[in-house]
Amino acid sequence: MAARDADDGRLSDEELLANLILLLVAGFETTTDLLGNGLAILLDRPDLTAALRSGRITTAAFVEEALRYESPVQLTTREARIDGLLVEDVPVPPAAT
Ligand code: HEM
């Protein structure tokens, strides 16, 4: 917001909005989905809940495994932004996804 308000051309209204949308989708939905998926796993697996409560499984390990087992980001897309891009020697044309 400060960069946009500085009025020195660093960040336009459109760029600010694009960044806010990115942060909402990338930062908020991933986190809430991970919390929901983690809760669903624990409700489904009382043995894991007990292990977590007793400390046999650490919270960090559980979060890592929840990210792998029931990831909030199960697929994503990429778009080639340059000419002449090669992935493992396979040419990827510009704008290909
Ligand atoms: C459980 C939480 C999160 C998960 C599972 C997650 C997952 C991901 C994944 C898979 C990517 C794509 C990486 C790639 O293209 O190689 C990504 C990118 C990104 N994430 Fe997260 N993320 C999480 C939390 C957050 C939070 C809290 C923020 C910011 C507040 C954030 C901001 C971003 C941004 C800005 C990118 C794009 C980076 C780039 O393209 O340069 N993420 N995230």
Side-chain angles (χ1 to χ4, degrees):
M1 296 292 286
R4 194 277 311 265
D5 290 347
D7 208 21
D8 57 6
R10 273 185 297 159
L11 202 66
S12 67
D13 283 353
E14 195 181 343
E15 288 166 336
L16 174 63
L17 183 61
N19 275 281
L20 290 174
I21 291 170
L22 172 68
L23 280 178
L24 175 67
V25 176
F28 175 73
E29 291 190 1
T30 48
T31 310
T32 53
D33 288 358
L34 175 64
L35 289 169
N37 292 350
L39 181 61
I41 293 167
L42 290 177
L43 289 172
D44 197 43
R45 292 282 306 271
D47 56 320
L48 284 182
T49 309
L52 206 50
R53 284 201 172 119
S54 73
R56 197 164 57 76
I57 297 175
T58 64
T59 307
F62 177 76
V63 170
E64 286 291 322
E65 184 59 4
L67 281 165
R68 185 199 68 81
Y69 177 73
E70 199 66 81
S71 174
V73 183
Q74 304 219 350
L75 63 93
T76 187
T77 57
R78 293 173 193 280
E79 183 178 312
R81 305 297 300 201
I82 56 169
D83 256 325
L85 179 65
L86 293 175
V87 176
E88 303 268 330
D89 293 332
V90 177
V92 182
T97 54

